[in-house]
Amino acid sequence: MNQIELIRVLPKAELHVHIEGTFEPELMFAIAQRNQIEIPYQSVEEVRQAYNFHNLQSFLDIYYAGAAVLVVEQDFYDLAWAYFEKCAEDKVMHTEMFFDPQTHTDRGVAFATVISGLQRACDDAQTKLGISSHLIMCFLRHLSEEAAFETLEQALRFKDQIIAVGLDSSEVGHPPAKFERVFAKAREQGFLVVAHAGEEGPAEYVWEALDVLKVNRIDHGVRSEEDPKLMQRLIREKMPLTVCPLSNLKLCVVDDMAQHNIRRLLQQGVHVTVNSDDPSYFGGYMNDNFIAIAEALDLSHEEIKQLAKNSFEASFITDHEKQKWLKQIDALI
Ligand code: ADE
Ligand code: ZN
């Protein structure tokens, strides 16, 4: 079995995917049309041509504009269902997907509309595709603490459907500590917590996510390597990093995939996982991300298997479920 064949047959969990970032241009056009919303593009090709980013913000501007065509429950269902079909192709057997309620509630779409469309797709994915999932609600960090508190308040009604809260959007200038009190309240209410940190922002933001927000996982975290003390802490605590290779390349966090640090992190004992982040915008889903690093970094079969095992270990499924997947992976070759 070669690297690519191994990647295709390995069961995997995805822990870092923004459902709004799975919005393929074809579906965006179809939904815009049925909701009679104008989008500033003439064709799918024109949309794809606009996906040329030089940093996180240049991507976010386009990503929020695309999400603006999502209005009714069926739109959120269709969006999530299309992603689950990609999961099935890539043998992603479990996914923990982010959604950004504020992107929708700020346009007058009800929180209940968003979550019921997503939840219905999650239920269908379990019954029709055998794929399990959890929802993670992210606060937009460029917005205020007050707005995050309001969003948390709205989420309480749906507590049973949301496993964790997260933090995303423009990182630099919006450190994790800005949301210390919101995250404390979310933890009190029983939510697990994750946060984007160390994508464009410095290692200091990763420390804050750990010490101030008390996260269960770090999203991205690739800049942790700049701080040896932080590296020791991540290794000692077996703190998962949800790394997104194609995203890092597209947003110029790395210049070249051959320079990506995921293999070095893995070799040093950091609990890294592979994820797609915003696959429609960054050129590929889970297996494309695995293949990109396997080829650029010449990963061994053992390293590829370890990354797949890490994904289940770092997930929020039960220990019993984790053991089931780890055994299946060990049984391959
Ligand atoms: N929202 C969607 N993708 C993101 C990313 N890579 N970083 C921060 N916020 C995001
Ligand atoms: Zn992300």
Side-chain angles (χ1 to χ4, degrees):
M1 209 184 304
N2 65 27
Q3 276 175 328
I4 295 180
E5 286 162 345
L6 174 63
I7 290 165
R8 294 218 168 100
V9 298
L10 270 176
K12 291 160 285 274
E14 175 142 68
L15 309 178
H16 185 156
V17 59
H18 301 261
I19 198 61
E20 295 89 349
T22 68
F23 207 1
E24 291 289 340
E26 290 79 1
L27 185 60
M28 197 182 288
F29 264 93
I31 291 182
Q33 203 161 31
R34 77 187 185 207
N35 290 338
Q36 300 188 320
I37 293 174
E38 293 258 342
I39 52 174
Y41 305 104
Q42 295 301 314
S43 65
V44 165
E45 293 70 47
E46 208 182 302
V47 180
R48 289 226 160 82
Q49 273 162 22
Y51 293 177
N52 246 321
F53 313 115
H54 50 276
N55 59 17
L56 176 58
Q57 194 60 50
S58 62
F59 152 70
L60 289 172
D61 294 341
I62 288 186
Y63 159 87
Y64 293 130
V69 307
L70 300 162
V71 181
V72 296
E73 194 257 12
Q74 187 67 39
D75 301 341
F76 292 93
Y77 176 90
D78 290 346
L79 175 68
W81 182 253
Y83 165 64
F84 279 120
E85 288 185 320
K86 301 283 190 180
C87 288
E89 277 173 34
D90 280 3
K91 220 163 192 305
V92 171
M93 302 309 296
H94 174 72
T95 179
E96 300 185 352
M97 61 169 89
F98 298 132
F99 69 109
D100 288 340
Q102 288 158 298
T103 300
H104 313 299
T105 53
D106 284 0
R107 298 181 288 114
V109 176
F111 197 109
T113 301
V114 180
I115 203 149
S116 74
L118 298 179
Q119 183 65 56
R120 191 158 62 83
C122 291
D123 293 344
D124 278 357
Q126 183 67 69
T127 52
K128 296 181 181 161
L129 304 171
I131 297 172
S132 60
S133 56
H134 286 310
L135 295 174
I136 301 178
M137 167 182 104
C138 283
F139 301 110
L140 299 181
R141 68 202 305 159
H142 68 275
L143 300 179
S144 66
E145 181 198 35
E146 190 192 354
F149 266 122
E150 275 168 29
T151 303
L152 181 58
E153 200 58 41
Q154 290 178 39
L156 294 180
R157 252 178 79 201
F158 306 100
K159 210 159 105 177
D160 295 347
Q161 289 161 268
I162 302 171
I163 192 129
V165 301
L167 187 63
D168 65 3
S169 191
S170 322
E171 186 182 7
V172 175
H174 301 284
K178 177 175 167 186
F179 297 94
E180 175 173 11
R181 297 188 304 174
V182 181
F183 272 64
K185 178 150 185 220
R187 280 188 280 104
E188 254 171 54
Q189 290 289 337
F191 293 101
L192 294 168
V193 301
V194 299
H196 283 53
E199 177 186 16
E200 280 190 347
E204 182 56 33
Y205 284 17
V206 179
W207 283 109
E208 271 186 25
L210 296 171
D211 290 333
V212 180
L213 303 187
K214 304 190 193 317
V215 293
N216 302 95
R217 295 196 294 249
I218 295 283
D219 296 315
H220 292 293
V222 286
R223 288 195 59 193
S224 303
E225 205 184 22
E226 295 167 20
D227 180 341
K229 278 225 162 64
L230 175 58
M231 287 288 284
Q232 282 172 16
R233 164 106 181 252
L234 296 174
I235 295 163
R236 193 174 63 243
E237 294 185 0
K238 211 167 172 239
M239 176 58 61
L241 302 188
T242 63
V243 177
C244 308
L246 287 173
S247 164
N248 294 152
L249 187 66
K250 268 283 194 179
L251 300 186
C252 308
V253 171
V254 292
D255 297 332
D256 177 353
M257 201 56 99
Q259 278 159 28
H260 201 288
N261 63 3
I262 189 166
R263 189 178 191 203
R264 282 202 302 277
L265 293 169
L266 183 68
Q267 287 176 342
Q268 289 175 75
V270 181
H271 196 98
V272 284
T273 65
V274 178
N275 305 273
S276 69
D277 204 6
D278 300 283
S280 161
Y281 293 88
F282 300 151
Y285 288 77
M286 179 63 107
N287 285 358
D288 302 308
N289 275 273
F290 260 95
I291 292 167
I293 52 164
E295 289 182 340
L297 305 173
D298 196 23
L299 297 185
S300 68
H301 281 44
E302 275 316 307
E303 287 168 327
I304 293 168
K305 277 172 81 169
Q306 190 60 53
L307 288 166
K309 284 176 151 186
N310 285 358
S311 71
F312 289 105
E313 278 181 325
S315 73
F316 295 144
I317 57 178
T318 62
D319 285 343
H320 179 77
E321 282 286 301
K322 287 183 188 181
Q323 289 314 316
K324 178 188 89 179
W325 291 116
L326 296 182
K327 270 198 202 129
Q328 278 205 23
I329 294 172
D330 279 332
L332 282 169
I333 51 165

